[in-house]
Amino acid sequence: MPNNQQNNPPKVDLRRHGPPMMGEVEKSKDAGKTLRRLAKYLLKSKYLFLGVFVAVILVTITSLISPAIQGEVIDCIKERSWDSFKLLLILLLVSFLLNTLFTLAQSLLSARLSQSIVRHMRYDLFKKIDHLSISYLDTHSNGDVMSRMTNDIENISNTVSQSLGSLVSGVLTIIGTVAIMFYYCWQLTLITMVTVVITVFVTKVMSTKMRSVFRRRAKALGELNGHSEEMITGYRTVLANNRQEKTKTEFAEISDRLTKEGIHAEILGGSMGPIMNCISNLSFVIVAAFGGYFALKEFITIGIISAFIIYAKQFSRPINDIANLYGSLQTALAGAERVFGLMDQPDENNSGSEKIENMQGNISFRHIDFSYIPGKQVLYDFSLDVKSGQKIALVGATGSGKTTIVNLLMRFYLADSGEILIDGKNILDLDRDWLRKNTAIVLQDTVLFSDTIENNIKYSNPDADKAAVVKAAQTSNCAQFINRLKGGYQTYLRQAGENLSHGQKQLINIARAVIADPKILILDEATSSVDTRTEQGIQDALVNLMKNRTSLIIAHRLSTIQDADVIVVMEKGRVVETGTHEELLEKQGAYYSLYMAQFAGNKT
C-alpha cells in the first residue's frame, strides 16, 4: 500500500509568535466560496447568530451615547444646571450598566454560537472521515487529517467567539463615531483624522519589520524542537556513540540563536503598544489644542471637547483591532477551506447490494491490472483461482504487489481492469459491508482500542456473548494469559494495550478474527515482527483459525507457509511461479532463490 504522505506544515501558535498581522498568514484560495459555506453553518444556529448581532448593535449604541452624555454633564456643571445634571448622571449610569450587560450577553451568545458551529462541523467532518476511501487516507498523513479535525476547526471557533463580534462592532463603532464627530464639529473631526493616517502608516512599517523577525524566531524554534525530539527519541543511540557533548553543543547554538531572535522579537512586539499609545495621546493633544481654540471662538462647548477626546480614542481602537483581526480571520478561512476540502472528497465506493446465501469462499482473480498512481502500474494481468478451504500463500520481494491483492479483495481499492469473483459473483455486485463481514484480516501491526479485552475481541462481532468470547480466546491461545491478568477479560487496555507484549496483542487480534467467524481469512505478515518462540504460539492459533476457511497468507518467513496448498511467487506485479513448497524447490526458480536466501545464507 503506498504511503505518499504529504508534508504537513507545523501550526504556528500566534500567542507565542506574535499577533496575526505580524506573522505568516495562511490565506484562503477562494474566500467568497468558503464564507458562503460557513454561512450555512451560521444559519443552522440562526437565532444565536441573530442574538449576537443584536447584542453587538446594542453594545455599540451604548458605547457611542455614553461620551455624548458625559459631555452634556460637563456642560451642565459649567452652566450650574443641577436638575439636568442629576438626570444626565442617571442616564450615564444606566448607559454604563446596559453596556456591561449587553457585552456580557454578546460574550455568552458568541461562545454558544461558536460551539454550535464547531459541533455541527465536527460531526459532518467525522461522518465524512467515516466514509472516506482508503486511497485518501493512504495518500494523506494522519497528522494532516487530525489537524483539520482539531486545529482548523478550533481556529474557526476562536474566530467566531472572539473576532466576529469585534469585527462587526469595530465597523459599526467607526461609522457611528465619525458620524457623531462630524455632527458636533466637522473641522475638528478632519484635524483628528491626521492621527489615523499616522496610525496606518506606522502599523504598516512596524508589521513589515516584525514579520521578518517573528519568521526567523519561528524558524529557530522549529529547529530547536526538531533537535530536541531527535535527541530524546534517539537517546540510546546518542549514548551508545558518546555524542552527548556534541548534542549539547548543537542544542546550545540553536538555543542561543533562538534567544537572540526572541529578544529582538519581544523588543519590537513590546514597542508596538507604546507607539500606538503615543499616537493616541497625540490625538488628545490635537483635540485639546484645536478644541480649546474652537471653544474660545464659541464654535463648540467644553463638554463637546471632552466627548471628542473619548470619541478619538474610540475611533482609533477599532482600527487597530480590525488590523489585528485580519490575520486570524484569514487563518480561520484557510482552515475552513481545508475542512471543506476534506468534506468534498468522494465517499468510498458502496455499489452492490447482493449477498451470497451459504457462501463457500471460492475466489477468482481474472486478468487484474491496477495502479495506485496513474502511469505507475502495480499489478499486471494477475489471475488466480482459490478453491473453498484452500490455503494460498503469496510470497515475493517488497513491492511485488502482494498486499495490493488483499486491498482489491477487501474493496479498499478498485481494479483498473479485470474482475474479482467470490462464488461466481463479482465483488462489485456484492454488498460491501456484507463482504467485509465475511472476510477477516489479521495484519502485522495489531490495532487494539482503549477498552476491555472482551470488547476488543468482540470488535468484529459486537453481538457475541461471553461464552463466544471465551471460546475465541481459547481457539487463539490467548485465554491462558488473559486469565492471569487481575481483571481477566474485563482488564482495561490503555493506549492500545501498552501493558501487553506484541505477541499477546497479536493473539487478541486473532481472537477477534475467530469470533467474526469469516468464510475468507487474510493473514498479512501476521508473525513477521515477533520472536521465534512467540511466532510458534501464534502459528498454533492461526492453524486453529484457518480450519475450514479459505485463507490467503502473505509472508516473508517462508517457514510459515511450507504447508500451504498453493504458493504464488510474485515479482514486480506478475505471477512468476505457482506450486507447492516441494514442487517449487524442485524447479529451482524464483522461490528456490528466496528459500536459499533465508535458509542457506545467500545474500539478499
Side-chain angles (χ1 to χ4, degrees):
M1 206 179 291
N3 192 24
N4 304 325
Q5 294 182 346
Q6 295 180 346
N7 293 329
N8 186 24
K11 182 179 184 298
V12 178
D13 188 342
L14 298 175
R15 291 170 297 180
R16 300 180 62 185
H17 298 278
M21 58 178 284
M22 304 168 189
E24 291 295 314
V25 177
E26 186 181 7
K27 294 186 178 181
S28 171
K29 296 178 182 178
D30 191 343
K33 181 180 178 181
T34 305
L35 280 171
R36 287 192 294 272
R37 294 188 67 170
L38 276 175
K40 293 180 180 179
Y41 283 95
L42 284 171
L43 292 177
K44 288 183 179 180
S45 305
K46 57 185 176 182
Y47 295 113
L48 282 174
F49 176 70
L50 182 61
V52 171
F53 190 74
V54 171
V56 168
I57 293 176
L58 294 174
V59 169
T60 304
I61 291 173
T62 52
S63 298
L64 290 174
I65 65 173
S66 296
I69 297 175
Q70 186 173 323
E72 294 290 338
V73 169
I74 292 174
D75 286 338
C76 285
I77 295 174
K78 178 177 177 293
E79 296 170 3
R80 298 180 179 274
S81 177
W82 302 118
D83 292 336
S84 299
F85 174 75
K86 293 177 183 179
L87 178 61
L88 289 170
L89 274 183
I90 294 173
L91 288 175
L92 184 62
L93 178 61
V94 170
S95 69
F96 286 149
L97 290 175
L98 289 176
N99 182 268
T100 302
L101 291 175
F102 294 146
T103 302
L104 177 61
Q106 176 190 332
S107 299
L108 293 176
L109 291 172
S110 295
R112 291 195 62 182
L113 177 63
S114 67
Q115 291 307 308
S116 176
I117 292 173
V118 164
R119 180 171 63 86
H120 285 113
M121 290 190 74
R122 281 205 172 120
Y123 175 78
D124 290 345
L125 184 59
F126 192 85
K127 185 170 66 173
K128 165 56 69 173
I129 293 174
D130 200 38
H131 292 82
L132 274 178
S133 65
I134 293 291
S135 60
Y136 181 88
L137 295 174
D138 278 346
T139 53
H140 292 75
S141 69
N142 294 338
D144 177 67
V145 176
M146 289 300 298
S147 178
R148 300 181 196 221
M149 175 67 77
T150 54
N151 294 340
D152 290 333
I153 291 185
E154 195 62 32
N155 284 335
I156 298 170
S157 172
N158 291 336
T159 299
V160 172
S161 63
Q162 300 173 14
S163 303
L164 184 62
S166 298
L167 179 64
V168 176
S169 177
V171 172
L172 294 177
T173 298
I174 291 173
I175 295 173
T177 301
V178 171
I180 294 174
M181 290 171 70
F182 265 100
Y183 172 76
Y184 278 133
C185 181
W186 64 268
Q187 299 94 334
L188 188 56
T189 302
L190 293 177
I191 295 171
T192 307
M193 292 298 166
V194 173
T195 59
V196 176
V197 177
I198 297 174
T199 299
V200 172
F201 175 77
V202 171
T203 300
K204 184 176 181 180
V205 173
M206 289 289 292
S207 63
T208 301
K209 292 183 178 179
M210 295 171 75
R211 186 179 296 114
S212 175
V213 174
F214 278 101
R215 188 188 299 119
R216 293 199 301 269
R217 188 178 77 167
K219 181 180 179 182
L221 180 60
E223 291 178 6
L224 186 69
N225 290 337
H227 180 79
S228 300
E229 182 181 1
E230 284 186 356
M231 190 276 292
I232 294 171
T233 55
Y235 186 62
R236 291 178 182 272
T237 304
V238 173
L239 292 182
N241 291 277
N242 292 317
R243 300 282 291 181
Q244 297 95 313
E245 292 301 321
K246 177 66 174 176
T247 301
K248 286 192 291 186
T249 301
E250 292 174 349
F251 180 88
E253 290 175 355
I254 300 173
S255 181
D256 289 344
R257 188 164 69 253
L258 175 61
T259 301
K260 180 180 177 181
E261 298 295 349
I263 292 173
H264 195 186
E266 292 299 329
I267 290 174
L268 280 176
S271 64
M272 192 69 173
I275 290 175
M276 291 298 104
N277 286 334
C278 181
I279 296 174
S280 179
N281 291 334
L282 177 62
S283 68
F284 296 160
V285 174
I286 292 174
V287 171
F290 287 92
Y293 173 77
F294 290 151
L296 290 174
K297 294 296 184 179
E298 296 184 351
F299 290 163
I300 57 176
T301 64
I302 296 175
I304 292 177
I305 297 175
S306 172
F308 246 92
I309 291 175
I310 299 174
Y311 283 129
K313 181 73 173 179
Q314 280 191 175
F315 182 75
S316 61
R317 179 183 55 79
I319 293 177
N320 293 331
D321 289 345
I322 292 173
N324 287 329
L325 288 175
Y326 174 79
S328 62
L329 288 171
Q330 287 292 341
T331 301
L333 285 175
E337 194 169 72
R338 281 164 45 82
V339 171
F340 293 140
L342 180 52
M343 288 184 183
D344 292 339
Q345 292 298 317
D347 287 345
E348 184 183 11
N349 183 286
N350 194 25
S351 62
S353 59
E354 295 186 35
K355 299 178 183 180
I356 301 174
E357 296 293 336
N358 300 318
M359 178 180 173
Q360 299 301 309
N362 297 295
I363 308 172
S364 294
F365 295 88
R366 294 183 179 176
H367 308 292
I368 299 295
D369 288 331
F370 176 75
S371 56
Y372 290 106
I373 302 173
K376 296 183 178 180
Q377 198 162 338
V378 177
L379 291 181
Y380 299 84
D381 194 29
F382 176 80
S383 295
L384 177 66
D385 287 319
V386 183
K387 295 180 181 179
S388 175
Q390 272 192 322
K391 181 179 178 182
I392 306 297
L394 302 173
V395 300
T398 300
S400 59
K402 304 183 299 298
T403 301
T404 299
I405 295 169
V406 173
N407 289 337
L408 296 176
L409 178 61
M410 295 291 291
R411 283 183 59 175
F412 293 154
Y413 289 85
L414 302 182
D416 297 336
S417 63
E419 60 181 358
I420 303 174
L421 308 176
I422 294 180
D423 291 350
K425 295 282 188 180
N426 192 314
I427 62 171
L428 296 181
D429 296 328
L430 297 177
D431 180 83
R432 184 195 61 192
D433 295 337
W434 177 89
L435 171 66
R436 292 176 182 171
K437 183 179 180 180
N438 286 275
T439 306
I441 184 168
V442 180
L443 301 171
Q444 172 185 351
D445 298 323
T446 59
V447 177
L448 299 180
F449 300 96
S450 297
D451 206 336
T452 63
I453 290 179
E454 179 179 343
N455 287 337
N456 269 281
I457 293 175
K458 290 169 57 177
Y459 193 79
S460 61
N461 186 5
D463 298 327
D465 56 21
K466 182 63 177 290
V469 172
V470 173
K471 184 178 179 180
Q474 292 171 344
T475 303
S476 62
N477 295 337
C478 63
Q480 186 176 2
F481 85 80
I482 293 175
N483 290 327
R484 288 200 303 265
L485 297 174
K486 185 177 180 181
Y489 289 89
Q490 298 306 313
T491 299
Y492 194 85
L493 302 181
R494 299 183 184 277
Q495 298 185 9
E498 63 176 1
N499 55 328
L500 300 179
S501 70
H502 188 85
Q504 289 173 330
K505 290 190 285 186
Q506 189 65 294
L507 290 175
I508 292 177
N509 205 23
I510 294 171
R512 181 187 293 166
V514 171
I515 206 169
D517 192 23
K519 296 296 183 181
I520 299 173
L521 176 66
I522 299 170
L523 306 176
D524 191 351
E525 304 286 357
T527 63
S528 63
S529 60
V530 297
D531 60 84
T532 305
R533 179 176 296 180
T534 303
E535 179 186 11
Q536 186 58 52
I538 294 176
Q539 283 293 341
D540 293 340
L542 291 176
V543 169
N544 295 332
L545 177 59
M546 287 186 286
K547 288 179 180 178
N548 303 318
R549 291 185 172 92
T550 304
S551 303
L552 290 179
I553 307 168
I554 298 174
H556 280 131
R557 294 186 184 180
L558 302 185
S559 61
T560 63
I561 48 92
Q562 292 180 13
D563 61 339
D565 297 317
V566 178
I567 298 174
V568 179
V569 184
M570 301 189 65
E571 286 184 2
K572 297 180 180 180
R574 291 183 171 89
V575 176
V576 294
E577 285 182 338
T578 60
T580 64
H581 173 70
E582 291 77 13
E583 290 171 348
L584 293 176
L585 287 181
E586 288 180 5
K587 291 181 180 179
Q588 295 192 7
Y591 181 79
Y592 178 83
S593 299
L594 289 172
Y595 184 83
M596 294 303 291
Q598 288 192 21
F599 297 102
N602 290 359
K603 284 188 176 181
T604 57

